[in-house]
Amino acid sequence: MPKNDKKRRKQRKPTLAARADKYDLYQRSVQEPSCEVNFIDKAYKAIHKRKPKSLREDFCGTFAVCCEWVKKKGRTAIAVDLDPEPLEWGREHNLAQLPPAARHRVVIRQRDVRTVADEKADVLAAQNFSYWIFKTRSDLREYFEIARQNLKDDGILVLDLMGGGECYEEGRKDPRKLKGFKYLWEMHSFDPISRDATHYLHFSFKDGSKLKKAFTYDWRFWTIPEIRELLAEAGYARSTVY
């Protein structure tokens, strides 16, 4: 075969970025469901001297935490997200990997998390700063109030936050190398007056191709004192910072 033909065939080959699955990359980069479940177990047990049975995962995306949760017998999980795309991906790639008995203990709800459900959970988790999508005190307090209604009387709400001085540096990039690819967390912009922040998650590959702005986050950068004040206003008995 002539060299030019070989070169053209090579050029037509899709790049690793073009073939990449952004949800798979996300889960491999920033999620570790087993650790999250272990933390929830320890936090709940410290309060109630027993392990929880039911979990509701708000802003669940591909609901990897729910699927990890039900690997233990007798546990149930409710996955709630408004976006159908990650939910469908989760059905095909996470839920399908579970044994049938565990699979049937996961309930998937495509809806706004600000909806009061019939099912009440021992634990409601809103991870990866997802609730930062609510940018005003009134909106976030409303979400916390509804979340409390979706919990059992002795239930707990589990949240995580991001913080530290480097998080406020516009243009700062945090690269990490994983097997087969790199991911880059970019602190693109931060407004100290409104506390609006924009972050991007990029991926790059061995062949030099890149998946830029695979995920975009437009948030309010909430602080720990603000969150604790709003939880108290929303009726939570107490809050603990780990």
Side-chain angles (χ1 to χ4, degrees), residues 75-101:
R75 289 191 159 182
T76 59
I78 304 166
V80 184
D81 201 292
L82 196 58
D83 190 343
E85 184 177 279
L87 289 176
E88 186 57 33
W89 192 97
R91 287 187 181 94
E92 294 179 7
H93 296 86
N94 291 332
L95 193 66
Q97 300 302 314
L98 295 174

Side-chain angles (χ1 to χ4, degrees), residues 2 16 39 56 58-59 61 80 91 98 101 107 114 117 125 148 150 158 178 197 228:
L16 291 173
F39 173 78
R56 173 180 164 125
D58 277 0
F59 313 96
V80 184
R91 287 187 181 94
L98 295 174
V107 176
R114 294 167 296 181
R148 190 165 61 87
N150 285 320
V158 177
L178 288 90
R228 299 188 80 183

Side-chain angles (χ1 to χ4, degrees), residues 191-209:
D191 184 334
I193 298 174
S194 66
R195 300 194 65 82
D196 279 1
T198 302
H199 297 76
Y200 299 124
L201 189 55
H202 313 287
F203 299 99
S204 60
F205 304 88
K206 292 180 179 179
D207 64 354
S209 61

